[in-house]
PDB file of all heavy atoms in Angstrom:
ATOM      1  N   TRP A   1       4.787   4.012  -4.543  1.00 96.00           N
ATOM      2  CA  TRP A   1       5.567   3.315  -3.507  1.00 96.00           C
ATOM      3  C   TRP A   1       6.787   2.635  -4.118  1.00 96.00           C
ATOM      4  O   TRP A   1       7.889   2.676  -3.552  1.00 96.00           O
ATOM      5  CB  TRP A   1       4.684   2.280  -2.802  1.00 96.00           C
ATOM      6  CG  TRP A   1       5.423   1.524  -1.741  1.00 96.00           C
ATOM      7  CD1 TRP A   1       5.608   1.888  -0.434  1.00 96.00           C
ATOM      8  CD2 TRP A   1       6.107   0.276  -1.904  1.00 96.00           C
ATOM      9  NE1 TRP A   1       6.360   0.942   0.223  1.00 96.00           N
ATOM     10  CE2 TRP A   1       6.678  -0.062  -0.659  1.00 96.00           C
ATOM     11  CE3 TRP A   1       6.285  -0.595  -2.974  1.00 96.00           C
ATOM     12  CZ2 TRP A   1       7.419  -1.223  -0.455  1.00 96.00           C
ATOM     13  CZ3 TRP A   1       7.023  -1.753  -2.785  1.00 96.00           C
ATOM     14  CH2 TRP A   1       7.579  -2.055  -1.532  1.00 96.00           C
ATOM     15  N   LEU A   2       6.627   2.036  -5.277  1.00 96.00           N
ATOM     16  CA  LEU A   2       7.756   1.386  -5.936  1.00 96.00           C
ATOM     17  C   LEU A   2       8.839   2.398  -6.293  1.00 96.00           C
ATOM     18  O   LEU A   2      10.029   2.138  -6.115  1.00 96.00           O
ATOM     19  CB  LEU A   2       7.283   0.651  -7.190  1.00 96.00           C
ATOM     20  CG  LEU A   2       6.512  -0.643  -6.946  1.00 96.00           C
ATOM     21  CD1 LEU A   2       5.798  -1.093  -8.221  1.00 96.00           C
ATOM     22  CD2 LEU A   2       7.446  -1.751  -6.448  1.00 96.00           C
ATOM     23  N   LEU A   3       8.445   3.556  -6.796  1.00 97.00           N
ATOM     24  CA  LEU A   3       9.436   4.575  -7.140  1.00 97.00           C
ATOM     25  C   LEU A   3      10.194   5.058  -5.905  1.00 97.00           C
ATOM     26  O   LEU A   3      11.390   5.358  -5.979  1.00 97.00           O
ATOM     27  CB  LEU A   3       8.755   5.762  -7.832  1.00 97.00           C
ATOM     28  CG  LEU A   3       8.299   5.531  -9.275  1.00 97.00           C
ATOM     29  CD1 LEU A   3       7.495   6.727  -9.759  1.00 97.00           C
ATOM     30  CD2 LEU A   3       9.480   5.269 -10.201  1.00 97.00           C
ATOM     31  N   GLN A   4       9.497   5.148  -4.762  1.00 96.00           N
ATOM     32  CA  GLN A   4      10.155   5.591  -3.539  1.00 96.00           C
ATOM     33  C   GLN A   4      10.933   4.473  -2.855  1.00 96.00           C
ATOM     34  O   GLN A   4      11.781   4.739  -2.007  1.00 96.00           O
ATOM     35  CB  GLN A   4       9.121   6.193  -2.573  1.00 96.00           C
ATOM     36  CG  GLN A   4       8.555   7.510  -3.075  1.00 96.00           C
ATOM     37  CD  GLN A   4       7.619   8.199  -2.094  1.00 96.00           C
ATOM     38  OE1 GLN A   4       6.711   8.910  -2.508  1.00 96.00           O
ATOM     39  NE2 GLN A   4       7.823   8.017  -0.804  1.00 96.00           N
ATOM     40  N   ARG A   5      10.666   3.233  -3.238  1.00 96.00           N
ATOM     41  CA  ARG A   5      11.333   2.091  -2.612  1.00 96.00           C
ATOM     42  C   ARG A   5      12.842   2.105  -2.845  1.00 96.00           C
ATOM     43  O   ARG A   5      13.634   1.845  -1.940  1.00 96.00           O
ATOM     44  CB  ARG A   5      10.720   0.788  -3.145  1.00 96.00           C
ATOM     45  CG  ARG A   5      11.494  -0.496  -2.874  1.00 96.00           C
ATOM     46  CD  ARG A   5      11.622  -0.821  -1.403  1.00 96.00           C
ATOM     47  NE  ARG A   5      12.395  -2.032  -1.203  1.00 96.00           N
ATOM     48  CZ  ARG A   5      13.718  -2.107  -1.201  1.00 96.00           C
ATOM     49  NH1 ARG A   5      14.449  -1.012  -1.405  1.00 96.00           N
ATOM     50  NH2 ARG A   5      14.337  -3.255  -0.992  1.00 96.00           N
ATOM     51  N   SER A   6      13.279   2.407  -4.074  1.00 97.00           N
ATOM     52  CA  SER A   6      14.710   2.404  -4.380  1.00 97.00           C
ATOM     53  C   SER A   6      14.944   3.164  -5.672  1.00 97.00           C
ATOM     54  O   SER A   6      14.146   3.056  -6.610  1.00 97.00           O
ATOM     55  CB  SER A   6      15.222   0.967  -4.518  1.00 97.00           C
ATOM     56  OG  SER A   6      16.619   0.945  -4.768  1.00 97.00           O
ATOM     57  N   PRO A   7      16.045   3.912  -5.766  1.00 97.00           N
ATOM     58  CA  PRO A   7      16.278   4.734  -6.964  1.00 97.00           C
ATOM     59  C   PRO A   7      16.575   3.928  -8.220  1.00 97.00           C
ATOM     60  O   PRO A   7      16.532   4.482  -9.326  1.00 97.00           O
ATOM     61  CB  PRO A   7      17.479   5.596  -6.574  1.00 97.00           C
ATOM     62  CG  PRO A   7      18.172   4.824  -5.496  1.00 97.00           C
ATOM     63  CD  PRO A   7      17.076   4.141  -4.739  1.00 97.00           C
ATOM     64  N   ASN A   8      16.888   2.628  -8.091  1.00 98.00           N
ATOM     65  CA  ASN A   8      17.182   1.821  -9.275  1.00 98.00           C
ATOM     66  C   ASN A   8      15.948   1.113  -9.826  1.00 98.00           C
ATOM     67  O   ASN A   8      16.045   0.378 -10.811  1.00 98.00           O
ATOM     68  CB  ASN A   8      18.271   0.781  -8.979  1.00 98.00           C
ATOM     69  CG  ASN A   8      17.830  -0.292  -7.997  1.00 98.00           C
ATOM     70  OD1 ASN A   8      17.119   0.001  -7.033  1.00 98.00           O
ATOM     71  ND2 ASN A   8      18.267  -1.523  -8.213  1.00 98.00           N
ATOM     72  N   ILE A   9      14.780   1.333  -9.209  1.00 98.00           N
ATOM     73  CA  ILE A   9      13.553   0.717  -9.712  1.00 98.00           C
ATOM     74  C   ILE A   9      13.011   1.537 -10.875  1.00 98.00           C
ATOM     75  O   ILE A   9      12.800   2.743 -10.768  1.00 98.00           O
ATOM     76  CB  ILE A   9      12.499   0.583  -8.600  1.00 98.00           C
ATOM     77  CG1 ILE A   9      12.911  -0.524  -7.625  1.00 98.00           C
ATOM     78  CG2 ILE A   9      11.120   0.289  -9.182  1.00 98.00           C
ATOM     79  CD1 ILE A   9      11.937  -0.769  -6.497  1.00 98.00           C
ATOM     80  N   LEU A  10      12.801   0.855 -12.007  1.00 98.00           N
ATOM     81  CA  LEU A  10      12.193   1.446 -13.196  1.00 98.00           C
ATOM     82  C   LEU A  10      10.835   0.800 -13.395  1.00 98.00           C
ATOM     83  O   LEU A  10      10.708  -0.416 -13.279  1.00 98.00           O
ATOM     84  CB  LEU A  10      13.062   1.206 -14.430  1.00 98.00           C
ATOM     85  CG  LEU A  10      14.525   1.635 -14.349  1.00 98.00           C
ATOM     86  CD1 LEU A  10      15.248   1.290 -15.646  1.00 98.00           C
ATOM     87  CD2 LEU A  10      14.645   3.128 -14.045  1.00 98.00           C
ATOM     88  N   LEU A  11       9.829   1.597 -13.719  1.00 97.00           N
ATOM     89  CA  LEU A  11       8.468   1.078 -13.841  1.00 97.00           C
ATOM     90  C   LEU A  11       8.028   1.020 -15.299  1.00 97.00           C
ATOM     91  O   LEU A  11       8.359   1.898 -16.100  1.00 97.00           O
ATOM     92  CB  LEU A  11       7.495   1.948 -13.053  1.00 97.00           C
ATOM     93  CG  LEU A  11       7.741   2.010 -11.542  1.00 97.00           C
ATOM     94  CD1 LEU A  11       6.621   2.794 -10.859  1.00 97.00           C
ATOM     95  CD2 LEU A  11       7.858   0.629 -10.942  1.00 97.00           C
ATOM     96  N   ILE A  12       7.269  -0.020 -15.618  1.00 96.00           N
ATOM     97  CA  ILE A  12       6.775  -0.217 -16.981  1.00 96.00           C
ATOM     98  C   ILE A  12       5.288  -0.585 -16.961  1.00 96.00           C
ATOM     99  O   ILE A  12       4.882  -1.595 -17.537  1.00 96.00           O
ATOM    100  CB  ILE A  12       7.587  -1.282 -17.732  1.00 96.00           C
ATOM    101  CG1 ILE A  12       7.716  -2.564 -16.885  1.00 96.00           C
ATOM    102  CG2 ILE A  12       8.952  -0.748 -18.119  1.00 96.00           C
ATOM    103  CD1 ILE A  12       8.253  -3.759 -17.648  1.00 96.00           C
ATOM    104  N   PRO A  13       4.441   0.222 -16.295  1.00 94.00           N
ATOM    105  CA  PRO A  13       3.020  -0.127 -16.267  1.00 94.00           C
ATOM    106  C   PRO A  13       2.446  -0.118 -17.681  1.00 94.00           C
ATOM    107  O   PRO A  13       2.789   0.734 -18.500  1.00 94.00           O
ATOM    108  CB  PRO A  13       2.401   0.977 -15.405  1.00 94.00           C
ATOM    109  CG  PRO A  13       3.341   2.129 -15.540  1.00 94.00           C
ATOM    110  CD  PRO A  13       4.705   1.510 -15.642  1.00 94.00           C
ATOM    111  N   GLY A  14       1.586  -1.063 -17.954  1.00 93.00           N
ATOM    112  CA  GLY A  14       1.013  -1.184 -19.290  1.00 93.00           C
ATOM    113  C   GLY A  14      -0.461  -0.838 -19.304  1.00 93.00           C
ATOM    114  O   GLY A  14      -1.161  -0.953 -18.295  1.00 93.00           O
ATOM    115  N   THR A  15      -0.936  -0.426 -20.453  1.00 94.00           N
ATOM    116  CA  THR A  15      -2.353  -0.129 -20.647  1.00 94.00           C
ATOM    117  C   THR A  15      -2.618   0.005 -22.142  1.00 94.00           C
ATOM    118  O   THR A  15      -1.698   0.273 -22.920  1.00 94.00           O
ATOM    119  CB  THR A  15      -2.750   1.183 -19.943  1.00 94.00           C
ATOM    120  OG1 THR A  15      -4.130   1.450 -20.184  1.00 94.00           O
ATOM    121  CG2 THR A  15      -1.928   2.355 -20.441  1.00 94.00           C
ATOM    122  N   SER A  16      -3.874  -0.177 -22.511  1.00 95.00           N
ATOM    123  CA  SER A  16      -4.286   0.058 -23.897  1.00 95.00           C
ATOM    124  C   SER A  16      -5.155   1.302 -23.999  1.00 95.00           C
ATOM    125  O   SER A  16      -5.775   1.541 -25.023  1.00 95.00           O
ATOM    126  CB  SER A  16      -5.039  -1.157 -24.442  1.00 95.00           C
ATOM    127  OG  SER A  16      -6.178  -1.442 -23.634  1.00 95.00           O
ATOM    128  N   SER A  17      -5.186   2.105 -22.925  1.00 96.00           N
ATOM    129  CA  SER A  17      -6.044   3.284 -22.845  1.00 96.00           C
ATOM    130  C   SER A  17      -5.197   4.531 -22.613  1.00 96.00           C
ATOM    131  O   SER A  17      -4.356   4.563 -21.711  1.00 96.00           O
ATOM    132  CB  SER A  17      -7.047   3.125 -21.698  1.00 96.00           C
ATOM    133  OG  SER A  17      -7.519   4.357 -21.228  1.00 96.00           O
ATOM    134  N   VAL A  18      -5.436   5.580 -23.398  1.00 98.00           N
ATOM    135  CA  VAL A  18      -4.716   6.834 -23.207  1.00 98.00           C
ATOM    136  C   VAL A  18      -5.035   7.433 -21.844  1.00 98.00           C
ATOM    137  O   VAL A  18      -4.154   7.947 -21.148  1.00 98.00           O
ATOM    138  CB  VAL A  18      -5.049   7.832 -24.334  1.00 98.00           C
ATOM    139  CG1 VAL A  18      -4.543   9.230 -23.996  1.00 98.00           C
ATOM    140  CG2 VAL A  18      -4.435   7.369 -25.657  1.00 98.00           C
ATOM    141  N   ALA A  19      -6.293   7.350 -21.429  1.00 97.00           N
ATOM    142  CA  ALA A  19      -6.669   7.896 -20.121  1.00 97.00           C
ATOM    143  C   ALA A  19      -5.945   7.176 -18.997  1.00 97.00           C
ATOM    144  O   ALA A  19      -5.461   7.812 -18.043  1.00 97.00           O
ATOM    145  CB  ALA A  19      -8.184   7.787 -19.932  1.00 97.00           C
ATOM    146  N   HIS A  20      -5.861   5.858 -19.095  1.00 95.00           N
ATOM    147  CA  HIS A  20      -5.162   5.085 -18.074  1.00 95.00           C
ATOM    148  C   HIS A  20      -3.667   5.369 -18.114  1.00 95.00           C
ATOM    149  O   HIS A  20      -2.997   5.414 -17.084  1.00 95.00           O
ATOM    150  CB  HIS A  20      -5.444   3.596 -18.282  1.00 95.00           C
ATOM    151  CG  HIS A  20      -5.013   2.733 -17.142  1.00 95.00           C
ATOM    152  ND1 HIS A  20      -4.818   1.379 -17.275  1.00 95.00           N
ATOM    153  CD2 HIS A  20      -4.705   3.026 -15.844  1.00 95.00           C
ATOM    154  CE1 HIS A  20      -4.422   0.879 -16.124  1.00 95.00           C
ATOM    155  NE2 HIS A  20      -4.346   1.862 -15.245  1.00 95.00           N
ATOM    156  N   LEU A  21      -3.119   5.564 -19.304  1.00 97.00           N
ATOM    157  CA  LEU A  21      -1.704   5.933 -19.425  1.00 97.00           C
ATOM    158  C   LEU A  21      -1.424   7.216 -18.653  1.00 97.00           C
ATOM    159  O   LEU A  21      -0.447   7.301 -17.895  1.00 97.00           O
ATOM    160  CB  LEU A  21      -1.339   6.110 -20.902  1.00 97.00           C
ATOM    161  CG  LEU A  21       0.043   6.713 -21.171  1.00 97.00           C
ATOM    162  CD1 LEU A  21       1.138   5.701 -20.864  1.00 97.00           C
ATOM    163  CD2 LEU A  21       0.143   7.205 -22.614  1.00 97.00           C
ATOM    164  N   LYS A  22      -2.262   8.217 -18.834  1.00 97.00           N
ATOM    165  CA  LYS A  22      -2.065   9.491 -18.139  1.00 97.00           C
ATOM    166  C   LYS A  22      -2.133   9.305 -16.622  1.00 97.00           C
ATOM    167  O   LYS A  22      -1.361   9.908 -15.874  1.00 97.00           O
ATOM    168  CB  LYS A  22      -3.118  10.500 -18.603  1.00 97.00           C
ATOM    169  CG  LYS A  22      -2.979  10.913 -20.064  1.00 97.00           C
ATOM    170  CD  LYS A  22      -4.116  11.851 -20.474  1.00 97.00           C
ATOM    171  CE  LYS A  22      -3.997  12.257 -21.933  1.00 97.00           C
ATOM    172  NZ  LYS A  22      -5.127  13.137 -22.364  1.00 97.00           N
ATOM    173  N   GLU A  23      -3.054   8.438 -16.185  1.00 96.00           N
ATOM    174  CA  GLU A  23      -3.172   8.158 -14.751  1.00 96.00           C
ATOM    175  C   GLU A  23      -1.902   7.493 -14.227  1.00 96.00           C
ATOM    176  O   GLU A  23      -1.393   7.840 -13.157  1.00 96.00           O
ATOM    177  CB  GLU A  23      -4.377   7.253 -14.506  1.00 96.00           C
ATOM    178  CG  GLU A  23      -4.591   6.883 -13.041  1.00 96.00           C
ATOM    179  CD  GLU A  23      -5.764   5.929 -12.862  1.00 96.00           C
ATOM    180  OE1 GLU A  23      -6.671   5.925 -13.711  1.00 96.00           O
ATOM    181  OE2 GLU A  23      -5.752   5.189 -11.865  1.00 96.00           O
ATOM    182  N   ASN A  24      -1.367   6.530 -14.986  1.00 95.00           N
ATOM    183  CA  ASN A  24      -0.138   5.856 -14.567  1.00 95.00           C
ATOM    184  C   ASN A  24       1.024   6.838 -14.468  1.00 95.00           C
ATOM    185  O   ASN A  24       1.775   6.837 -13.481  1.00 95.00           O
ATOM    186  CB  ASN A  24       0.225   4.754 -15.564  1.00 95.00           C
ATOM    187  CG  ASN A  24      -0.691   3.559 -15.493  1.00 95.00           C
ATOM    188  OD1 ASN A  24      -1.431   3.382 -14.527  1.00 95.00           O
ATOM    189  ND2 ASN A  24      -0.673   2.732 -16.526  1.00 95.00           N
ATOM    190  N   LEU A  25       1.196   7.663 -15.489  1.00 97.00           N
ATOM    191  CA  LEU A  25       2.319   8.597 -15.493  1.00 97.00           C
ATOM    192  C   LEU A  25       2.205   9.613 -14.368  1.00 97.00           C
ATOM    193  O   LEU A  25       3.222  10.031 -13.795  1.00 97.00           O
ATOM    194  CB  LEU A  25       2.408   9.305 -16.846  1.00 97.00           C
ATOM    195  CG  LEU A  25       2.662   8.407 -18.070  1.00 97.00           C
ATOM    196  CD1 LEU A  25       2.793   9.244 -19.329  1.00 97.00           C
ATOM    197  CD2 LEU A  25       3.893   7.531 -17.883  1.00 97.00           C
ATOM    198  N   ALA A  26       0.987   9.982 -14.022  1.00 96.00           N
ATOM    199  CA  ALA A  26       0.791  10.946 -12.930  1.00 96.00           C
ATOM    200  C   ALA A  26       1.242  10.386 -11.593  1.00 96.00           C
ATOM    201  O   ALA A  26       1.571  11.148 -10.674  1.00 96.00           O
ATOM    202  CB  ALA A  26      -0.678  11.359 -12.867  1.00 96.00           C
ATOM    203  N   ALA A  27       1.296   9.063 -11.471  1.00 96.00           N
ATOM    204  CA  ALA A  27       1.743   8.455 -10.218  1.00 96.00           C
ATOM    205  C   ALA A  27       3.165   8.844  -9.874  1.00 96.00           C
ATOM    206  O   ALA A  27       3.556   8.860  -8.695  1.00 96.00           O
ATOM    207  CB  ALA A  27       1.625   6.936 -10.305  1.00 96.00           C
ATOM    208  N   ALA A  28       3.966   9.175 -10.889  1.00 96.00           N
ATOM    209  CA  ALA A  28       5.359   9.539 -10.647  1.00 96.00           C
ATOM    210  C   ALA A  28       5.481  10.846  -9.873  1.00 96.00           C
ATOM    211  O   ALA A  28       6.519  11.117  -9.265  1.00 96.00           O
ATOM    212  CB  ALA A  28       6.108   9.631 -11.971  1.00 96.00           C
ATOM    213  N   SER A  29       4.438  11.655  -9.891  1.00 95.00           N
ATOM    214  CA  SER A  29       4.458  12.933  -9.168  1.00 95.00           C
ATOM    215  C   SER A  29       3.797  12.835  -7.802  1.00 95.00           C
ATOM    216  O   SER A  29       3.683  13.837  -7.094  1.00 95.00           O
ATOM    217  CB  SER A  29       3.746  14.008 -10.005  1.00 95.00           C
ATOM    218  OG  SER A  29       4.359  14.170 -11.262  1.00 95.00           O
ATOM    219  N   LEU A  30       3.365  11.632  -7.413  1.00 96.00           N
ATOM    220  CA  LEU A  30       2.684  11.444  -6.132  1.00 96.00           C
ATOM    221  C   LEU A  30       3.711  11.216  -5.035  1.00 96.00           C
ATOM    222  O   LEU A  30       4.487  10.260  -5.075  1.00 96.00           O
ATOM    223  CB  LEU A  30       1.743  10.240  -6.226  1.00 96.00           C
ATOM    224  CG  LEU A  30       0.899   9.916  -4.989  1.00 96.00           C
ATOM    225  CD1 LEU A  30      -0.029  11.080  -4.656  1.00 96.00           C
ATOM    226  CD2 LEU A  30       0.095   8.629  -5.222  1.00 96.00           C
TER     227      LEU A  30
END
């Protein structure tokens, strides 16, 4: 939703888990 909100929004979700990182990055294709 944040990515679709405005083209100037940049996201920096954090995690200490590789699995969670992959889940976060996959959100960009949703």
Side-chain angles (χ1 to χ4, degrees):
W1 179 86
L2 286 166
L3 286 173
Q4 291 185 210
R5 166 63 181 82
S6 182
N8 67 321
I9 287 181
L10 306 178
L11 298 186
I12 50 168
T15 179
S16 58
S17 156
V18 168
H20 192 199
L21 171 73
K22 294 176 181 178
E23 179 183 335
N24 288 344
L25 298 183
S29 301
L30 182 61

